[in-house]
């Protein structure tokens, strides 16, 4: 298992490098000029110097190499410095944002927890709802619970997050006034009361994302439970007198989870896409919202780094899903 | 020597047990069982006619500004609020610049549906080609499937945002109208990033099909690879392709609306459902219908397409037929 995990991590490195290259070339091919905002009165030779200061004078492979070094070599060192107070990176050049002139990773570190919290909580909520619903509607196939559940998941599947978001805002913060419509990012949790407020302001973004995930997971959960319920081992388990509960929750559930995990892994990119929209709707200051502002500000290093971080997150979650797959399905031997 | 060999009486079939039905009749019979799919299909026909014929019936320019006629409410508001500012000249109300709501819905739907269909067809073409090539030619299987896996782990929405924002200016100037450039860009971006599921499904089916006897027979009759693929393999994978086409259409419509919502879609004077929704969000407490109408239109269309896909999958799947 451990060797498999390690091999999977090592194998993902070329994938990540390739994705980084794709993003970088996309940005290189783009005709946008970072000097477009500079006033026309600035003489051309000064402009040329400014370009060089931004690192734009070098050919693209040099720029790409420098970005790789900065991201994979210098930034981890900065992290170690911050952890242990060492001075490994004194004077080293980090990835600098063109908007704020400060290191991109400093901003990302501030923003990343919000995104991960929202996405992670949405996943947890979605699973808590979707798995029981999926199990029960497969067990009682064509019952009214199943019919209603299927219909609701179909709706959840079809309503895009940029519609559910405003809808929830109108209902819950304008008409009912239960939850704040804007995520207060300066809010600090230091008492029960402020913790309560934090939960209140997270409910709506999490629900919007969770609706999407719930719909997918419960659909696949139902389908895969149905497949497994017809298998011979279920009949055997029942025949040897196991209680129905054990048959369902131990035998069938575990086998059904195998294919559900695959589906979840495939759905991860869509979830992060949904997270970007959710962050824009509720004004959560996560990395999705940061990406949008950086794009409109033509801040190339920031866009490059953020898009790559999204890719990194997706690849990491995919690896986790693959490893889980092995845990759930002992028939798979990795050697 | 001419007398025929008689079958045992029990094995004789004097008449067919039930009338013969063609493949398409079978599919239609099965499809009819699925109520949701029928309603979904009907709704798609309705919405397609709405956006195609709509402009001839409701001849109002969606971009026409009429500041005196701004902020009309939809006509149905009068049912519960007799004070509401409504007018039969604007059945679905008008926005803060006086643009007609109904005309915008029609033209916005036109764009959304056109982008959805075009992007779906492009993704289908790419996916089916990759799937067929990877499934049929062993040499190409490894590299093509690695590429598919790679595309599956790309952060799709961030990349789309980057591509659309960065390339909008040159493409707008390249074509005579800015909309045409934007249309090609968005369709291309959605198509290139959503072919992977089709490719996987088609490859799996082709891998199984090419070991079958009829392919061997075709090959021994001297059919070339091209002929085998076009005449023998493709017709057999048409049903998974059709099913993934419907889901592709749903995703493409949602993706286009998301891009418009995030403000990187079509130019601001060109209506799409996603952009109408995004424009209405700041005023949604006073005019909730401006969010609801395009939002419901998108959701219902996608819901209908999903139901249709579900029904088609059941109808085309031979294994579960007759259940």
């Amino acid at each position: 298992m451990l060797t498999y995990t390690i091999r999977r991590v090592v194998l993902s490195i070329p994938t990540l490098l390739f994705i980084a290259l794709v993003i970088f070339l996309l940005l290189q091919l783009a005709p946008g000029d970072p000097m477009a905002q500079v006033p026309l009165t600035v003489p051309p030779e000064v402009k040329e110097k400014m370009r060089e200061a931004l690192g734009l004078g070098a050919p693209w492979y040099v720029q790409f190499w420098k970005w790789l070094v900065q991201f994979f070599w210098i930034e981890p060192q900065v992290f170690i410095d911050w952890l242990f107070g060492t001075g490994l990176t004194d004077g080293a050049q980090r990835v600098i944002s063109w908007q704020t002139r400060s290191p991109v990773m400093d901003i990302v570190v501030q923003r990343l927890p919000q995104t991960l919290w929202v996405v992670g909580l949405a996943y947890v909520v979605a699973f808590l709802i979707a798995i029981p619903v999926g199990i029960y509607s497969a067990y009682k196939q064509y019952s009214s619970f199943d019919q209603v559940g299927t219909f609701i998941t179909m709706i959840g599947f079809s309503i895009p997050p940029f519609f559910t978001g405003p809808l929830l805002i109108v209902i819950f913060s304008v008409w009912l006034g239960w939850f704040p419509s804007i995520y207060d990012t300066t809010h600090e949790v230091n008492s029960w009361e402020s913790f309560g407020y934090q939960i209140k302001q997270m409910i709506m973004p999490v629900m919007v994302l969770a609706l999407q995930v719930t719909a997918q997971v419960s659909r696949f959960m139902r389908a895969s439970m149905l497949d497994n319920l017809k298998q011979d081992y279920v009949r055997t388990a029942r025949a040897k007198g196991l209680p129905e509960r054990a048959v369902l929750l131990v035998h069938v559930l575990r086998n059904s989870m195998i294919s559900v995990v695959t589906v979840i892994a495939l759905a991860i990119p869509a979830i992060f896409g949904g997270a970007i929209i959710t962050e824009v709707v509720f004004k959560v200051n996560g990395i999705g919202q940061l990406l949008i502002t950086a794009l409109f500000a033509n801040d190339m290093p920031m866009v490059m780094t953020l898009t790559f971080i999204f890719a990194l997150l997706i690849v990491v979650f995919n690896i986790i899903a693959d490893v889980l797959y092995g845990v759930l399905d002992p028939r798979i031997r990795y050697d | 020597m001419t007398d025929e060999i008689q079958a045992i009486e029990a094995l004789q079939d004097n008449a067919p047990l039930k009338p013969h039905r063609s493949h398409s009749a079978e599919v239609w019979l099965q499809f009819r069982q699925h109520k949701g799919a029928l309603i979904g299909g009907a709704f798609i026909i309705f919405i397609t006619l709405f956006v195609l014929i709509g402009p001839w019936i409701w001849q109002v320019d969606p971009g026409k500004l009429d500041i005196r006629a701004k902020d009309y409410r939809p006509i149905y508001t009068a049912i519960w609020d007799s004070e509401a500012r409504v007018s039969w000249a604007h059945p679905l109300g008008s926005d803060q610049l006086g643009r007609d709501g109904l005309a915008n819905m029609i033209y916005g739907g036109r764009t959304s549906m056109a982008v959805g269909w075009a992007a779906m067809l492009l993704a289908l073409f790419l996916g089916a080609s990759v799937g067929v090539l990877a499934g049929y030619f062993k040499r190409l299987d490894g590299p093509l499937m690695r590429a598919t896996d790679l595309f599956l782990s790309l952060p799709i929405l961030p990349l789309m945002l980057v591509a659309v924002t960065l390339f909008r200016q040159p493409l707008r100037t390249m074509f005579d109208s800015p909309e045409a450039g934007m249309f090609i860009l968005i369709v291309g971006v959605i198509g290139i990033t959503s072919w992977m599921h089709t490719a996987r499904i088609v490859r799996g089916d082709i891998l199984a099909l090419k070991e079958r006897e009829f392919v061997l027979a075709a090959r021994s009759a001297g059919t070339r690879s091209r002929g085998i693929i076009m005449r023998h393999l493709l017709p057999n994978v048409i049903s998974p392709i059709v099913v993934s086409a419907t889901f592709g259409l749903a995703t493409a419509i949602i993706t286009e609306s998301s891009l418009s919502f995030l403000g990187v879609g079509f130019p601001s004077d060109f209506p799409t459902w996603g952009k109408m929704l995004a424009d209405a969000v700041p005023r949604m407490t006073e005019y909730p219908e401006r969010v609801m109408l395009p939002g419901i239109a998108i959701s219902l269309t996608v819901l209908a397409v999903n139901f249709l896909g579900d029904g088609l999958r059941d109808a085309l799947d031979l294994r579960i037929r007759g259940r």
Side-chain angles (χ1 to χ4, degrees):
Chain A
M1 202 70 222
L2 186 67
T3 45
Y4 171 72
T5 314
I6 293 171
R7 204 178 62 201
R8 192 69 183 68
V9 170
V10 171
L11 273 179
S12 70
I13 292 174
T15 315
L16 280 174
L17 283 180
F18 185 78
I19 294 175
L21 185 66
V22 168
I23 304 169
F24 189 81
L25 288 181
L26 197 65
L27 292 177
Q28 281 290 309
L29 282 173
D33 182 12
M35 293 283 104
Q37 304 295 324
V38 176
L40 289 171
T41 46
V42 175
E45 59 269 21
V46 179
K47 262 193 185 173
E48 205 46 50
K49 284 218 170 108
M50 288 167 82
R51 296 182 77 85
E52 271 168 39
L54 287 174
L56 287 171
W60 69 266
Y61 47 87
V62 175
Q63 289 186 39
F64 183 57
W65 175 249
K66 280 187 172 165
W67 181 86
L68 282 181
V69 168
Q70 284 168 356
F71 191 86
F72 285 105
W73 185 242
I74 295 179
E75 293 298 342
Q77 287 183 347
V78 172
F79 183 65
I80 294 171
D81 282 358
W82 175 80
L83 270 185
F84 304 110
T86 49
L88 290 172
T89 51
D90 287 338
Q93 179 68 52
R94 300 175 65 187
V95 186
I96 300 289
S97 156
W98 289 350
Q99 277 176 99
T100 59
R101 315 279 171 204
S102 62
V104 168
M105 285 309 277
D106 287 2
I107 306 170
V108 170
V109 167
Q110 295 166 10
R111 301 291 192 100
L112 195 57
Q114 280 89 309
T115 304
L116 290 182
W117 265 114
V118 171
V119 172
L121 272 181
Y123 256 96
V124 172
V125 170
F127 270 79
L128 289 181
I129 301 172
I131 289 185
V133 169
I135 293 173
Y136 193 73
S137 50
Y139 188 60
K140 302 265 183 209
Q141 197 190 1
Y142 302 130
S143 65
S144 49
F145 180 87
D146 180 32
Q147 305 276 1
V148 172
T150 313
F151 185 68
I152 291 178
T153 50
M154 206 53 156
I155 292 179
F157 214 56
S158 309
I159 301 189
F162 55 84
F163 183 43
T164 32
L167 209 62
L168 286 189
I169 290 181
V170 167
I171 295 173
F172 289 106
S173 44
V174 179
W175 291 349
L176 298 173
W178 290 355
F179 310 123
S181 68
I182 291 177
Y183 188 93
D184 179 5
T185 47
T186 55
H187 182 70
E188 275 179 33
V189 179
N190 45 24
S191 63
W192 282 113
E193 208 177 317
S194 57
F195 180 69
Y197 184 79
Q198 176 70 18
I199 290 192
K200 262 187 173 177
Q201 69 173 355
M202 288 203 79
I203 283 180
M204 286 205 296
V206 168
M207 284 324 279
V208 167
L209 262 189
L211 180 69
Q212 211 184 346
V213 189
T214 312
Q216 275 175 349
V217 174
S218 65
R219 265 170 78 92
F220 286 112
M221 193 72 218
R222 175 176 177 274
S224 127
M225 287 287 287
L226 281 178
D227 277 353
N228 274 296
L229 276 171
K230 290 192 208 83
Q231 303 271 329
D232 290 340
Y233 72 84
V234 180
R235 198 185 314 127
T236 313
R238 282 186 181 140
K240 73 182 182 186
L242 275 184
E244 195 62 20
R245 191 183 185 75
V247 174
L248 263 191
L249 297 185
V250 180
H251 293 230
V252 183
L253 178 62
R254 188 164 167 183
N255 278 298
S256 316
M257 286 304 283
I258 297 168
S259 49
V260 173
V261 166
T262 330
V263 170
I264 292 161
L266 285 176
I268 289 169
I271 298 306
F272 277 102
I276 295 180
I277 292 169
T278 317
E279 284 172 10
V280 170
V281 170
F282 293 99
K283 304 187 174 57
V284 181
N285 64 340
I287 54 173
Q289 198 238 12
L290 187 64
L291 175 72
I292 304 264
T293 45
L295 259 178
F296 289 148
N298 225 349
D299 183 356
M300 291 309 149
M302 179 87 95
V303 171
M304 169 84 206
T305 312
L306 280 175
T307 320
F308 184 72
I309 286 176
F310 272 111
L312 193 68
L313 286 173
I314 289 169
V315 169
V316 166
F317 278 100
N318 269 327
I319 293 177
I320 294 175
D322 271 6
V323 172
L324 264 184
Y325 198 68
V327 171
L328 284 168
D329 192 353
R331 283 169 301 187
I332 296 178
R333 290 267 169 276
Y334 303 115
D335 30 47
Chain B
M1 293 304 276
T2 50
D3 44 56
E4 288 172 43
I5 301 165
Q6 286 291 317
I8 314 168
E9 198 163 352
L11 290 180
Q12 278 176 350
D13 286 338
N14 295 323
L17 292 177
K18 55 179 181 181
H20 174 74
R21 285 196 299 250
S22 68
H23 176 67
S24 39
E26 286 273 1
V27 168
W28 169 244
L29 272 178
Q30 181 70 28
F31 183 76
R32 240 175 26 186
Q33 309 275 309
H34 199 303
K35 285 278 171 333
L38 272 186
I39 299 173
F43 185 78
I44 292 166
I45 294 173
F46 165 72
I47 204 91
T48 313
L49 289 179
F50 175 72
V51 301
L52 281 184
I53 311 180
W56 275 290
I57 297 170
W58 187 251
Q59 291 173 332
V60 177
D61 179 14
K64 183 172 166 268
L65 304 182
D66 181 4
I67 209 73
R68 284 200 195 86
K70 70 169 183 175
D71 290 340
Y72 271 114
R73 308 298 301 267
I75 200 82
Y76 55 78
T77 326
I79 297 172
W80 65 84
D81 180 10
S82 52
E83 310 270 287
R85 184 176 146 86
V86 295
S87 154
W88 279 108
H90 299 286
L92 290 185
S94 58
D95 68 359
Q96 69 274 18
L97 296 172
R99 288 176 294 194
D100 182 58
L102 181 57
N104 269 289
M105 285 295 287
I106 294 171
Y107 278 89
R110 235 178 196 202
T111 322
S112 297
M113 295 296 278
V115 169
W117 276 98
M120 180 267 275
L121 289 177
L122 177 63
L124 216 60
F125 174 72
L126 285 174
S129 323
V130 169
V132 167
L133 290 179
Y136 191 78
F137 299 105
K138 224 179 176 113
R139 258 178 313 125
L140 294 175
D141 193 18
L144 281 179
M145 281 300 114
R146 284 304 296 273
T148 312
D149 285 346
L150 211 114
F151 265 84
L152 275 173
S153 58
L154 281 182
I156 301 290
L157 194 66
L159 271 183
M160 276 187 191
L161 289 174
V162 171
V164 174
T165 333
L166 295 177
F167 288 93
R168 64 194 314 174
Q169 213 51 47
L171 267 165
R172 272 191 198 186
T173 46
M174 204 185 287
F175 297 91
D176 8 315
S177 69
E179 292 90 28
M182 215 51 210
F183 183 82
I184 290 171
L185 177 61
I186 290 185
V187 165
V189 164
I190 298 178
I192 289 172
T193 50
S194 52
W195 51 268
M196 292 83 75
H197 292 284
T198 318
R200 286 187 147 196
I201 296 167
V202 170
R203 169 185 172 263
D205 281 12
I206 293 275
L207 274 182
L209 278 173
K210 76 169 183 187
E211 303 301 329
R212 297 269 290 272
E213 289 81 0
F214 71 92
V215 177
L216 187 67
R219 188 172 300 134
S220 51
T223 321
R224 290 171 201 279
S225 295
R226 194 190 147 80
I228 293 181
I229 290 175
M230 299 307 266
R231 303 222 18 206
H232 300 276
L233 292 180
L234 268 185
N236 276 302
V237 291
I238 211 78
S239 45
I241 291 182
V242 167
V243 172
S244 71
T246 54
F247 295 119
L249 178 62
T251 342
I253 292 174
I254 287 200
T255 314
E256 184 276 323
S257 311
S258 317
L259 289 178
S260 290
F261 180 81
L262 292 173
V264 297
F266 284 91
S268 51
D269 53 345
F270 196 71
T272 74
W273 285 340
K275 193 192 303 302
M276 289 168 69
L277 205 160
D279 289 345
V281 164
R283 295 155 166 267
M284 64 187 166
T285 47
E286 297 103 331
Y287 306 105
E289 70 273 3
R290 289 189 207 155
V291 175
M292 299 298 287
L293 287 174
I296 289 175
I298 298 171
S299 309
L300 276 184
T301 312
V302 173
L303 188 69
V305 174
N306 276 334
F307 265 120
L308 181 71
D310 240 25
L312 277 178
R313 183 173 48 198
D314 289 358
L316 293 170
D317 194 341
L318 295 165
R319 281 170 306 171
I320 64 168
R321 184 167 302 159
R323 255 209 315 217

